[in-house]
C-alpha cells in the first residue's frame, strides 16, 4: 500500500488552484489543500502537514523567493517538506535562485498533468521515506537510552560490590535496580540479600580480593569473561575492534629533575589518582601505567574514549589550579586516540602474567600522542576515530594535518578535540576557525601564498596557535624550495 500524499498549493490565483485540483482529483491517494494567501502558508502547512508543497513565485502579497526562504528556515515546520516552485516562464536565473534557497523542483505552470503527478509522487515518496528514517532513528535513540540506563544500573551494581569490599554497602543505593522485574533486578535483590547474610569470617577474604583487584582490575575479568582471578590463564585474550588511548605528561623528565625520588612518586600518584577514574567512568580499561602516562582501551569504541579524554583533561585543569595555588608549575598532558582491531590479553610466563594489548593500532596511537607536542594541542584523534563517533557534532573538532608517522607508509588524517583545551584556548581557536580552515584548503590545493596569508591571520589573533605557526614554517619551505613531485600534502615524521 502506497503512503498517503498531501499536496499544498500556495497561489493567489483561484483559477490555478481549481486547475491543479482538477489535475489531482483522479488520484485517490492524493489529498489536495489550497492556500491563496502566502502570508498564511506556514500556518496552513502546519495544520495539513503536506508531503509536498507547490508554490507560485509571483504573488502580490510577498516576493516568491522570500517565501521560499521562509518555508526553508530551520525553525519552520516546512523546512524538510519537498518544495516545487511554479513560474510562468522558464527563467534560468530565477530557477537557480530558487534552488539555492532550497527548492527541490521547478515547473512552468500549468504543467502537464502526468508530469505533475509523477513529480509529486516522487518527492512525496522521498519525504515519507525521510520521515520513516527519522522515526527509526528516534526509536534507536530511545533504545540506546534504555541500554545506557541498563549499563548505568549494571555499573551501580558493580560499585555496590566494591562498596561491600570496603564495608560501605547501603542496600538503599540499589533500590531502583532491585525494583526492576528482569534478571538485573533479580540479581540486585539476590546481591542485597547475600550481603546481609555475609558473616564476619568473610571480611578477610574481602580484603584479600580488594588487594587482588589493585593488580588485576575487575574490568579485565569482565572483558576476558572470567569469574575470578584464578580462572585467568597465560594466553587468554579477546580480539576485536576497540579504541586505544595513550596519554603522557609533557616534559616530565624536566619536571622530575627538580624532585627527589619520593616527590616523584607522590607527584605521579597524585596525578594518576585524579585522572584514572575517568577511564573507568567511561567504560575503559587501563592496560598499563607507563610511568607518568598510561595506556587504556575502550571495548565499546570511540565515543567512550573521546569522552574519557575530555574528562581527563578537565581533571588536569582542576589539578593545575591547585598546583598554581601552591606555587607549583602547571602540567600539560597529551592524549592520542585511535580505533582499530587488536588483541587484549595476558602475557608473560607461568609465574608472572600481566595484561597487554597487541596491534599496529597500539603503535600508531602512541605516535598520535607524541604528535600533541609537535602541534601544541591537548588531544589528537585519528580520522578513523572521528568516523567511529556516533555523534561527532557533540565536540568541537579541528582538522590538523595529514601525516605519515614513523613505521607507516600510508598517510592518516589527524584532528584535535578543542573540548580538551581550556576555555581561553577554545575561544581563540573558535575565533580563528574560518581563516584556519581556509589556510588548510589553500595548502591542499597548493596555493601556497594564500595559505600562508590565512595562517598569518590566525597568528595575528592567536599567536600561541602552534599548528598555524608550523604551517607558516612549512609553507615558507615549500615556497622557497617548490612543491615536490608527487606531493600529497602529507607531512612525514621520521622520529617517534
Amino acid at each position: 500500500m502506497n503512503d498517503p500524499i498531501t499536496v499544498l498549493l500556495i497561489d493567489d490565483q483561484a483559477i490555478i488552484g481549481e486547475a491543479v485540483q482538477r489535475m489531482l482529483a483522479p488520484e485517490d491517494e492524493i489529498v489536495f489543500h489550497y492556500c491563496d494567501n502566502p502570508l498564511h502558508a506556514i500556518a496552513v502547512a502546519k495544520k495539513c502537514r503536506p508531503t509536498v508543497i507547490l508554490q507560485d513565485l509571483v504573488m502580490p502579497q510577498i516576493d516568491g523567493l522570500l517565501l521560499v526562504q521562509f518555508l526553508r528556515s530551520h525553525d519552520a515546520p516546512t523546512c524538510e517538506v519537498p518544495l516545487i516552485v511554479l513560474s510562468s516562464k522558464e527563467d534560468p536565473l530565477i530557477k537557480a535562485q530558487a534552488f539555492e534557497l532550497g527548492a527541490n523542483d521547478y515547473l512552468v505552470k500549468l504543467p502537464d498533468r502526468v508530469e505533475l503527478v509523477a513529480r509529486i509522487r516522487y518527492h512525496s515518496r522521498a519525504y515519507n521515506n525521510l520521515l520513516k528514517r527519522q522515526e527509526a532513528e528516534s526509536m534507536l535513540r530511545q533504545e540506546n537510552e534504555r541500554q545506557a540506563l541498563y549499563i548505568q544500573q549494571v555499573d551501580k551494581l558493580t560499585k555496590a560490590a566494591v562498596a561491600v569490599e570496603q564495608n560501605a554497602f547501603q542496600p538503599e543505593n540499589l533500590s531502583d535496580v532491585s525494583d526492576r522485574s528482569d534478571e538485573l533486578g533479580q540479581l540486585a535483590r539476590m546481591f542485597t540479600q547475600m550481603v546481609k547474610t555475609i558473616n564476619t569470617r568473610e571480611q578477610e577474604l574481602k580484603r584479600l580480593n580488594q588487594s587482588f583487584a589493585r593488580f588485576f582490575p575487575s574490568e579485565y575479568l569482565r572483558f576476558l569473561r572470567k569469574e575470578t582471578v584464578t580462572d585467568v590463564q597465560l594466553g587468554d585474550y579477546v580480539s576485536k575492534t576497540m579504541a586505544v588511548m595513550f596519554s603522557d605528561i609533557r616534559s616530565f623528565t624536566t619536571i622530575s629533575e627538580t624532585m627527589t625520588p619520593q616527590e616523584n612518586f607522590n607527584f605521579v600518584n597524585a596525578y594518576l589518582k585524579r585522572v584514572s577514574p575517568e577511564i573507568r567512568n567511561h567504560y575503559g580499561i587501563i592496560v598499563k601505567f607507563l610511568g607518568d602516562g598510561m595506556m587504556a582501551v575502550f571495548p565499546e569504541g570511540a565515543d567512550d574514549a573521546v569522552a574519557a579524554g575530555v574528562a581527563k583533561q578537565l581533571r588536569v585543569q582542576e589539578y593545575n589550579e591547585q598546583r598554581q595555588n601552591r606555587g607549583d608549575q602547571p602540567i600539560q598532558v597529551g592524549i592520542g586516540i585511535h580505533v582499530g582491531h587488536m588483541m587484549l590479553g595476558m602475557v608473560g610466563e607461568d609465574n608472572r602474567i600481566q595484561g597487554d594489548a597487541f596491534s599496529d593500532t597500539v603503535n600508531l596511537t602512541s605516535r598520535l600522542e607524541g604528535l600533541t607536542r609537535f602541534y601544541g594541542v591537548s588531544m589528537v584523534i585519528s580520522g578513523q576515530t572521528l568516523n567511529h563517533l556516533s555523534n561527532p557534532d557533540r565536540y568541537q573538532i579541528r582538522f590538523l594535518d595529514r601525516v605519515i608517522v614513523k613505521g607507516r607508509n600510508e598517510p592518516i588524517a589527524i584532528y584535535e578535540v578543542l573540548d580538551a583545551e581550556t576555555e581561553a584556548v577554545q575561544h581563540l581557536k573558535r575565533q580563528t576557525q574560518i581563516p584556519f580552515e581556509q589556510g588548510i584548503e589553500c595548502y591542499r590545493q597548493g596555493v601556497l601564498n594564500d595559505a600562508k596569508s590565512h595562517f598569518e591571520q590566525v597568528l595575528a589573533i592567536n599567536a600561541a596557535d602552534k599548528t598555524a605557526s608550523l604551517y607558516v614554517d612549512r609553507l615558507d619551505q615549500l615556497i622557497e624550495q617548490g612543491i615536490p613531485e608527487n606531493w600529497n600534502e602529507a607531512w612525514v615524521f621520521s622520529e617517534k
Side-chain angles (χ1 to χ4, degrees):
M1 181 178 180
N2 293 330
D3 293 321
I5 297 174
T6 301
V7 176
L8 171 61
L9 170 64
I10 306 170
D11 196 307
D12 64 308
Q13 300 180 54
I15 189 172
I16 299 298
E18 293 173 2
V20 173
Q21 185 174 22
R22 285 196 300 271
M23 288 182 182
L24 302 182
E27 311 303 325
D28 295 336
E29 80 276 24
I30 297 180
V31 177
F32 177 76
H33 293 270
Y34 173 59
C35 175
D36 62 356
N37 188 341
L39 301 179
H40 300 160
I42 292 181
V44 174
K46 187 174 182 180
K47 183 176 180 181
C48 68
R49 302 177 66 181
T51 59
V52 65
I53 296 174
L54 307 177
Q55 183 214 312
D56 186 22
L57 282 180
V58 180
M59 292 178 285
Q61 298 94 330
I62 189 173
D63 178 74
L65 292 175
L66 180 59
L67 180 57
V68 171
Q69 191 171 358
F70 284 155
L71 294 174
R72 277 291 175 264
S73 61
H74 292 298
D75 57 348
T78 57
C79 65
E80 294 180 335
V81 179
L83 177 61
I84 303 175
V85 295
L86 304 176
S87 181
S88 58
K89 59 181 180 178
E90 184 78 19
D91 187 329
L93 178 59
I94 296 297
K95 183 186 295 187
Q97 290 175 331
F99 283 138
E100 184 176 353
L101 291 173
N104 300 91
D105 211 339
Y106 185 101
L107 288 173
V108 176
K109 64 179 181 180
L110 280 170
D112 177 78
R113 176 188 174 280
V114 173
E115 180 181 1
L116 177 62
V117 171
R119 291 182 185 244
I120 287 174
R121 284 179 175 157
Y122 170 79
H123 289 296
S124 292
R125 182 166 55 251
Y127 180 62
N128 283 323
N129 288 339
L130 171 65
L131 295 179
K132 291 176 182 178
R133 185 168 65 253
Q134 290 175 342
E135 182 181 4
E137 290 172 352
S138 176
M139 294 175 63
L140 178 60
R141 285 194 297 271
Q142 293 175 8
E143 177 61 20
N144 288 341
E145 290 173 358
R146 190 187 69 81
Q147 292 292 342
L149 176 60
Y150 184 88
I151 292 173
Q152 290 174 1
Q153 293 188 327
V154 169
D155 184 56
K156 183 178 288 189
L157 190 57
T158 303
K159 290 179 178 177
V162 175
V164 170
E165 295 175 347
Q166 297 172 346
N167 198 27
F169 175 70
Q170 297 178 350
E172 58 270 19
N173 289 343
L174 284 181
S175 58
D176 59 330
V177 186
S178 300
D179 290 340
R180 297 177 65 102
S181 59
D182 59 4
E183 293 179 352
L184 182 60
Q186 183 181 9
L187 178 61
R189 292 188 294 273
M190 292 175 61
F191 178 84
T192 302
Q193 184 60 37
M194 177 195 69
V195 173
K196 292 179 180 179
T197 60
I198 291 177
N199 58 53
T200 56
R201 287 179 295 178
E202 292 176 317
Q203 296 303 318
E204 183 60 33
L205 180 60
K206 292 179 185 178
R207 290 192 294 271
L208 182 61
N209 286 338
Q210 187 177 15
S211 297
F212 273 131
R214 295 175 180 173
F215 296 95
F216 196 88
S218 59
E219 294 90 345
Y220 263 112
L221 287 178
R222 291 194 298 272
F223 188 72
L224 295 175
R225 299 180 180 88
K226 302 295 183 180
E227 293 295 329
T228 65
V229 175
T230 57
D231 295 330
V232 178
Q233 300 294 324
L234 179 66
D236 288 341
Y237 74 93
V238 172
S239 177
K240 64 175 294 188
T241 297
M242 294 179 277
V244 189
M245 173 195 289
F246 271 83
S247 65
D248 192 23
I249 298 178
R250 295 179 189 162
S251 304
F252 175 71
T253 302
T254 302
I255 297 174
S256 64
E257 288 175 350
T258 64
M259 302 181 187
T260 66
Q262 182 64 56
E263 289 172 339
N264 265 302
F265 269 99
N266 294 341
F267 166 69
V268 170
N269 287 332
Y271 160 71
L272 294 175
K273 181 176 67 175
R274 286 169 170 80
V275 301
S276 298
E278 295 299 345
I279 302 298
R280 294 187 293 274
N281 292 344
H282 294 86
Y283 317 110
I285 301 173
I286 298 175
V287 177
K288 53 188 173 183
F289 292 107
L290 305 167
D292 59 301
M294 70 172 69
M295 170 188 172
V297 298
F298 296 81
E300 300 307 316
D303 289 310
D304 293 337
V306 174
V310 172
K312 280 181 61 173
Q313 291 290 9
L314 291 177
R315 300 291 82 78
V316 171
Q317 293 172 24
E318 293 171 357
Y319 183 38
N320 278 336
E321 291 181 3
Q322 298 174 15
R323 289 179 58 82
Q324 289 176 310
N325 290 337
R326 297 195 304 262
D328 296 330
Q329 290 293 322
I331 63 172
Q332 291 181 309
V333 175
I335 296 175
I337 299 175
H338 184 51
V339 174
H341 195 273
M342 71 189 71
M343 293 173 55
L344 177 64
M346 308 311 300
V347 299
E349 46 94 15
D350 290 337
N351 293 323
R352 176 70 171 88
I353 63 175
Q354 68 180 33
D356 208 341
F358 296 93
S359 171
D360 178 60
T361 297
V362 175
N363 298 327
L364 177 55
T365 309
S366 177
R367 302 287 190 269
L368 294 182
E369 187 277 320
L371 292 181
T372 61
R373 301 177 180 84
F374 184 80
Y375 289 94
V377 299
S378 295
M379 188 191 307
V380 168
I381 65 172
S382 63
Q384 290 91 326
T385 304
L386 178 62
N387 292 336
H388 277 78
L389 287 174
S390 61
N391 183 18
D393 291 338
R394 173 185 175 187
Y395 300 101
Q396 305 171 77
I397 296 176
R398 186 172 82 159
F399 174 83
L400 289 177
D401 207 348
R402 292 180 71 246
V403 299
I404 300 175
V405 299
K406 182 177 176 60
R408 294 177 68 92
N409 298 318
E410 295 298 324
I412 64 167
I414 59 172
Y415 302 79
E416 70 166 314
V417 181
L418 297 182
D419 305 73
E421 302 286 358
T422 64
E423 286 292 337
V425 172
Q426 290 184 45
H427 174 73
L428 287 172
K429 289 188 176 181
R430 285 196 303 266
Q431 190 177 356
T432 57
Q433 184 73 12
I434 292 177
F436 184 88
E437 291 176 349
Q438 291 171 337
I440 292 292
E441 185 60 29
C442 290
Y443 173 75
R444 286 173 168 172
Q445 296 176 4
V447 187
L448 304 184
N449 288 312
D450 287 352
K452 180 180 177 182
S453 176
H454 288 306
F455 286 120
E456 287 175 341
Q457 290 179 41
V458 174
L459 293 173
I461 298 173
N462 182 13
D465 192 330
K466 187 175 181 180
T467 305
S469 179
L470 288 171
Y471 270 106
V472 170
D473 294 341
R474 187 184 304 178
L475 286 160
D476 284 338
Q477 180 180 343
L478 291 172
I479 291 171
E480 179 182 351
Q481 300 177 2
I483 298 177
E485 186 177 356
N486 299 324
W487 183 65
N488 64 357
E489 88 192 43
W491 197 252
V492 180
F493 288 86
S494 59
E495 300 179 357
K496 296 182 179 179

